[in-house]
Every structure is written in C-alpha cells, then in structure tokens.
C-alpha cells in the first residue's frame, strides 16, 4: 500500500500518510482506544455525533480500516467488511469519511482504492473477466458521483439521469442484493425504492445527521443536483440515502490510475 499521497487544495500541496489495519480486534487496548478517538473526531468534523456503541460495532470491528493523516492530524478513514450476498463476495464499504477541510481533494476516492488494493492485486487477472463486487450506502452525492467515474458499473448512476434528474429502475439482481443487505442489517424494516435504490428512515434516532439545504454536499454539476433533489430531497431535509452497487474491473482501475497520475 502506498505510504504517501499528495493532494492539492486552494493551490497548496499536502503530503498525506496512510495507516492500514487489517483487523481492528487484533489491536492492543491502547491502539483501539486511540483509533476510536481519532475516528470519532473525523466523524464529528465531517458529519456529526454517532453513538459510541455504533462506532464499535460498525467501524472498530472485524474490518479493514485505512486512516489518512496530515502531519499529526487524522483527516479521513475508510472501513470495509466482507459480506456474502447470493453467493457473491461483496466488498462492503462501511464508512468513507473525510474532514471538511480536505474534501473535494480526491482523497476519498484514493482511500476507496487503497482499501481494495490488496484484493485487486491478488485477483489482477481475474478481475478482467469477473469484477470486484462492491456495495455501500451513502447520502452524499459527491461520493456517489466520484465513484461513478471510476466504476465499470454502478447503480444508481447520476451521470445517466435525464434532464429531469430521473434514472431507470434498478435491475432485478441489484434490487435483490439491496434488499438482502438491509434485511441483514440492524434496521431491517427500512423502505427501499426501486427507482434510484433510495433507502428511507436510516436516521430516525439521529435526525441531526440528515442533510438539509444548508449543510448538504451539493455538486458543482447542476444536472446532478437535480438528480439528488429528486431522489434524496436535500432541499427538504428528507431522511433518505442511496444503496449503491458497483463493479471495479481492470479497465476501471487503469482509468483511475491514469487520472491520478495525469
């Protein structure tokens, strides 16, 4: 895994360091406490308050975690687990979070690829014919639109929306996988809309985490903003987010590497 990565923000260059943890449960007590503290600081800065037991269960568990640091400050992290859904090995991105000051820098997509790089290298020839199966849930349109640029397949894809922000319904397998994912979650009774794979009522107990018109991560592309207004209702403060299914193959990996190099 690369130890450093350069990002540019406001004409300044920052050297970012990375630390990877294959299994958080194997860490010492002090290491776990430090990681929990830093992960919580990133969540607080980027989004808001999460319950301590939520962090322990969904982040500091049997996950692969990569954290990004600038000097001595932890500025982002990505946590991934493995799930089996209809005999498919799914790389499930539990969280991908960047502090506000370092958003829009490309760091998020780099963390996304770093969390997958070991599996990509182990299956380099296989992914030419059988892509990595990835799923995640996000209310953040910028995360979704960035992932859409580097995936060989993704649903929902905001770049395929028409002038009214509308996209086609999810295919049968993608819908079934989304339903199975939610059925096996802590909150299995949430509603899923087939068009857009919109998940409702995730934050009933944490309403302060819902985006509204003031704090929503609006996109620079107004067509994509029309898409997110239609499906997530940022402007209304709706409790909605996307369930995302994506594929990464060798060609999409090369496209990503080309973009970060050139």
């Amino acid at each position: 895994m690369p130890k450093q990565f350069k990002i540019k923000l406001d004409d300044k260059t920052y050297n970012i360091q990375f630390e990877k943890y294959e299994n958080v449960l194997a860490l010492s007590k002090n290491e776990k406490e430090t990681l929990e503290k830093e992960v919580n600081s990133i969540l607080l800065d980027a989004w808001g308050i999460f319950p301590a037991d939520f962090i322990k269960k969904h982040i500091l568990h049997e996950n692969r975690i990569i954290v990004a640091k600038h000097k001595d400050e932890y500025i982002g992290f990505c946590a991934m687990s493995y799930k089996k859904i209809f005999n498919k090995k799914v790389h499930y991105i539990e969280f991908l979070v960047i502090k506000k000051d370092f958003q829009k820098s490309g760091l998020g997509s780099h963390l996304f690829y770093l969390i997958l790089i070991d599996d990509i290298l182990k299956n380099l020839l296989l992914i030419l014919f059988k892509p990595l199966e990835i799923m995640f849930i996000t209310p953040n349109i910028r995360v979704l639109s960035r992932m859409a640029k580097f995936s060989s397949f993704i649903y929902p894809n905001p770049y395929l929306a028409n002038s009214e922000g509308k996209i086609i319904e999810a295919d049968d397998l993608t819908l079934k996988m989304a339903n199975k994912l939610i059925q096996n979650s802590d909150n299995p009774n949430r509603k899923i809309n087939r068009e857009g794979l919109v998940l409702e009522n995730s934050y009933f107990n944490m309403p302060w985490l819902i985006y509204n018109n003031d704090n929503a991560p609006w996109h620079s592309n107004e067509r994509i903003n029309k898409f997110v207004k239609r499906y997530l209702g940022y402007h209304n403060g709706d409790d909605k987010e996307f369930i995302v299914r994506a594929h990464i193959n060798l060609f999409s990996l090369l496209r990503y590497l080309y973009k970060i190099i050139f």
Side-chain angles (χ1 to χ4, degrees):
M1 184 186 79
K3 298 295 184 183
Q4 290 194 350
F5 179 66
K6 292 183 184 293
I7 62 173
K8 281 192 173 183
L9 278 171
D10 300 324
D11 296 324
K12 293 182 180 180
T13 300
Y14 298 84
N15 290 312
I16 309 301
Q17 295 81 42
F18 300 99
E19 295 175 358
K20 181 175 72 170
Y21 304 91
E22 282 292 344
N23 186 350
V24 179
L25 293 182
L27 298 178
S28 69
K29 181 180 178 182
N30 287 340
E31 288 173 322
K32 287 178 187 174
E33 289 177 350
T34 298
L35 188 58
E36 180 177 2
K37 176 184 174 183
E38 298 301 342
V39 162
N40 189 48
S41 73
I42 296 168
L43 286 170
L44 278 171
D45 182 275
W47 210 356
I49 299 172
F50 280 81
D53 59 340
F54 184 95
I55 294 174
K56 285 185 171 69
K57 184 173 183 179
H58 293 278
I59 302 174
L60 304 180
H61 196 53
E62 295 179 89
N63 295 333
R64 175 185 295 169
I65 294 181
I66 293 179
V67 294
K69 296 172 63 178
H70 174 246
K71 296 182 178 179
D72 293 325
E73 180 186 3
Y74 286 74
I75 61 171
F77 76 93
C78 185
M80 185 192 78
S81 63
Y82 296 102
K83 297 183 183 294
K84 201 78 171 181
I85 302 179
F86 298 126
N87 294 319
K88 291 182 178 292
K89 182 180 180 180
V90 174
H91 298 70
Y92 181 66
I93 307 300
E94 298 271 1
F95 268 93
L96 175 59
V97 187
I98 310 294
K99 281 189 174 181
K100 289 178 181 176
D101 287 348
F102 292 89
Q103 293 174 4
K104 298 184 181 181
S105 66
L107 180 59
S109 56
H110 196 67
L111 278 170
F112 178 82
Y113 269 86
L114 287 180
I115 204 85
L116 296 170
I117 192 66
D118 288 345
D119 295 311
I120 288 172
L121 293 176
K122 288 176 187 175
N123 301 282
L124 198 55
L125 293 178
L126 289 177
I127 65 172
L128 182 61
F129 307 101
K130 185 179 180 182
L132 292 184
E133 190 79 52
I134 299 159
M135 294 188 76
F136 58 96
I137 299 174
T138 183
N140 191 318
I141 187 57
R142 292 204 297 256
V143 170
L144 175 60
S145 59
R146 186 172 288 275
M147 292 306 107
K149 290 183 177 181
F150 304 123
S151 302
S152 56
F153 160 82
I154 192 167
Y155 188 91
N157 188 341
Y159 293 102
L160 297 182
N162 65 18
S163 59
E164 300 301 318
K166 180 180 173 63
I167 59 172
I168 63 172
E169 292 184 342
D171 62 88
D172 289 343
L173 178 58
T174 298
L175 178 63
K176 288 178 182 177
M177 292 179 70
N179 277 309
K180 180 62 70 174
L181 180 71
I182 299 306
Q183 287 168 13
N184 294 334
S185 72
D186 295 342
N187 188 359
N189 297 317
R190 286 171 288 176
K191 178 183 176 182
I192 302 174
N193 297 312
R194 179 165 187 162
E195 185 181 308
L197 278 190
V198 177
L199 180 66
E200 299 186 23
N201 301 320
S202 291
Y203 303 110
F204 179 79
N205 295 319
M206 297 181 286
W208 58 90
L209 298 180
I210 299 172
Y211 289 133
N212 57 52
N213 193 61
D214 295 327
N215 66 3
W218 294 107
H219 201 277
S220 58
N221 185 324
E222 281 306 312
R223 186 160 181 162
I224 291 179
N225 286 335
K226 188 175 289 188
F227 163 84
V228 81
K229 282 182 179 179
R230 182 185 187 98
Y231 291 108
L232 296 194
Y234 279 179
H235 54 308
N236 296 324
D238 291 349
D239 183 354
K240 295 178 180 179
E241 53 190 344
F242 292 117
I243 303 174
V244 184
R245 180 188 178 208
H247 288 165
I248 298 294
N249 65 13
L250 190 56
F251 296 115
S252 58
L253 173 64
L254 292 174
R255 186 166 65 243
Y256 168 74
L257 293 174
Y258 176 85
K259 283 184 176 290
I260 65 169
I261 291 171
F262 297 105

